[in-house]
Amino acid sequence: MPELAAEPRTPVPALACRDLIVGYGARVVLDQVSVEIPGGSWTAIVGPNGSGKSTLLRALAGLLVPRDGTVRLQGRRLGDWRRRERAQRLAWLAQTPGATDLTAREVVALGRFAHGGWLAHRDVDDDAAIDRAMRATGSQRWAGRRVSTLSGGERQRVHLARVLAVEAAVLLLDEPTAHLDPPHQEDVVRLLRSQAQGCGVAVLSAIHDLSLALTADRLIVLGEDGLVGQGTVREALRADWLSQAFRRRIDVVDHDGAWLWRPAVDGAPDG
Amino acid sequence: MSAARPSFVTAVVDDAAVHRLPLARWFGTCLAVTLLLTLGGLLVGTSSVTTSIHWLFAPNAETSLVLWQIRLPRTIGAWCVGALLGLAGAIAQGVFRNPLAEPYLLGTASGAALGVTIALLASGASIGALAWAAQLGLTGAAVVGAAVAIVLTLALARGVLQTSNLLLSGIVVGFLLSAITSLLLLAKPQLWRTLQVFLLGTTGFLGWRSTGLLAVVLLVCALPATLLSRGLDALTLGEDTARSLGLSLPVLRLALLGIVALATAAVVGEVGVVGFVGLVAPHLARETLSVNHRHLLIASPLCGGALLQAADLVSRWIVRPAELPVGAVTACVGGAYLAFLLWRRTRDA
């Protein structure tokens, strides 16, 4: 540990945005949202449909140009990074990754694009990273198959492997557990946690399944009117952010040490 | 083989079927077919095949002129045209992520037709214009017309940011330039026949000079295209994912569409508007070979080359001693093949 400064200096977050305003056409989806994603922890974004989970992820990934506000990756503005260097540090997984006629291994190998570029042929490091990523997601079994012939869940794991193969410091994942059955959802959750805690990666994922999201380290809670709160899961529960975000339609209960959600007993009808 | 095969084995077997031919065998077959077609190109003509074989083994000055200065450059030139169209088609389908994209979608065909029409009109108009047209040639006029069409399309789409805008602009520019051509032809209907030969595409005028030029353009187009193949692979995952991988889409698109433009302009200039090869060749390659774009950008030109050589042979054979325009043959064969693909897809679905 470095020497203790008199004034405790907060470490630069792996990824942060400040006063972010993002919209499509006349509609403003995110209005002055500021979040920080620390390295070494898994943060889940939760919120009702249309609250802007995907939009936030896309803006943080630099895929949407915000109307105002800044996104900083490792303290440096997103636009100041060189394209290739940024892609080495920040990996993004789409909500519905497309079908392609490439084989699973070729798709995972594309995760190494930022490391090699146009002319460079894949080297030993790249192959090792691809193998590691495919093993970690259990997708090496269909390495030689066309992705378009795989099931939704298999496809999802191939794309997850592609994101892991980047070996980025920040992972932005839009619904990484979609299309997966419960045991495989659990595998993914374990994988995300090990990436965060074992490798010091900042993992940010939008997660639909609240009970799954409640196993994360931190939560970013989005409501229909913007950011409700961000912090550890415990803080989120103490401040009751979830039931605010979901208009008091849900309760979170402690079930033998695991947080589970259920419909609110005294829930007000919607609208 | 046991009867109760575990399911993953069937899955692997199914996939092997998807993989089609192994790479080496595919390229071997393709090479053999191309050589056979080249031989066919030498032997088929107004004289009978047996006479041609005699010529081959007992040449005199006249027959060797026919074989080596007329038939050979023509069949090799046809291969180059097909290869250029196959390459441009594969790139266009990759850039637009659309299996129906084809080389002429930037409006090049209509632009070239307009260029030729203007050149024909001008050459009849005055002595000065005649000299100018002779200098530039119909080939030059076609290339200029194609280039103007591309510039118009890019300007109308305001660059290469939106592929859907590009597609629409290509269609609009195509219609616009065709309309102008039609209006001009109303003034001079006797030009219509000359233009028709050009619009259908013909390999009849290909000599060594044209063939050499086409070969150079093919090299100039194919080398950078294969270098950019990883970008096309990344694009199959979707535009956002490609960007997140560190790709600059505008640069990639501009480079690739530049290649498409150069290839189609050269083809249109030398042989006119040969349709369907650029659309069918990539499909043929994908049907018979498991492909990423590194392989596709080699396989599709090979397919296109063989296809056009075959079409050229048919165009010479079918109404001997007269000839059909090669574009008419490619349209028939290509249309039938696409109909077959569509039929199979709807049957499987």
Side-chain angles (χ1 to χ4, degrees), chain A residues 58 62-64 83-84 87 90 92 94 98-103 106-107 109-114 116-120 122 144-146 149 159 162, chain B residues 11-12 15 18-20 227-237 239-241 243-249 252 286 289-295:
Chain A
R58 284 160 53 85
L63 296 170
L64 284 176
R83 190 185 309 278
R84 198 67 65 69
L90 186 96
W92 176 76
T100 159
D101 279 341
L102 299 177
T103 65
E106 284 168 343
V107 167
L110 281 173
R112 301 300 291 174
F113 180 81
W118 294 113
L119 302 178
R122 285 215 302 271
R145 288 182 53 190
R146 286 191 190 200
T149 66
H159 282 283
R162 194 246 309 151
Chain B
V12 170
D15 216 56
V18 170
H19 269 228
R20 330 277 163 163
L227 289 181
L228 296 174
S229 62
R230 264 188 110 182
L232 282 172
D233 277 348
L235 263 183
T236 65
L237 303 182
E239 295 188 357
D240 279 341
T241 301
R243 282 166 65 203
S244 80
L245 291 171
L247 254 116
S248 166
L249 290 196
L252 179 71
R286 268 195 289 263
L289 184 73
S290 162
V291 277
N292 53 39
H293 277 90
R294 194 157 52 92
H295 296 152

Side-chain angles (χ1 to χ4, degrees), chain B residues 132-160:
Chain B
W132 173 79
Q135 195 74 36
L136 193 62
L138 288 188
T139 302
V143 171
V144 169
V148 167
I150 290 164
V151 170
L152 280 179
T153 300
L154 288 180
L156 194 62
R158 300 187 176 205
V160 289

Side-chain angles (χ1 to χ4, degrees), chain A residues 68-120:
Chain A
D68 201 9
T70 54
V71 179
R72 286 176 190 274
L73 170 66
Q74 296 176 341
R76 194 163 151 199
R77 287 163 69 112
L78 222 45
D80 293 343
W81 286 94
R82 294 181 56 183
R83 190 185 309 278
R84 198 67 65 69
E85 289 177 348
R86 188 171 93 190
Q88 287 171 12
R89 286 162 178 80
L90 186 96
W92 176 76
L93 176 66
Q95 187 163 10
T96 43
T100 159
D101 279 341
L102 299 177
T103 65
R105 198 182 160 81
E106 284 168 343
V107 167
V108 179
L110 281 173
R112 301 300 291 174
F113 180 81
H115 298 266
W118 294 113
L119 302 178

Side-chain angles (χ1 to χ4, degrees), chain B residues 6 42 85 108 117 140 142 145-146 148 171 191 204 214 225 236 286 292 312 319:
Chain B
L42 273 181
L85 289 174
T108 39
T117 310
V148 167
I171 293 171
L191 291 183
L214 287 167
T236 65
R286 268 195 289 263
N292 53 39
D312 182 44
V319 288

Side-chain angles (χ1 to χ4, degrees), chain B residues 115-136:
Chain B
V116 168
T117 310
I118 291 176
L120 287 173
L121 276 175
S123 61
S126 72
I127 305 294
L130 182 65
W132 173 79
Q135 195 74 36
L136 193 62

Side-chain angles (χ1 to χ4, degrees), chain B residues 18 44 54 78 82 131 134 146 150 160 162 184 186 227-228 237 308 317:
Chain B
V18 170
V44 172
H54 275 297
I150 290 164
V160 289
Q162 290 270 333
L184 290 177
L186 280 180
L227 289 181
L228 296 174
L237 303 182
L308 203 64
W317 180 267

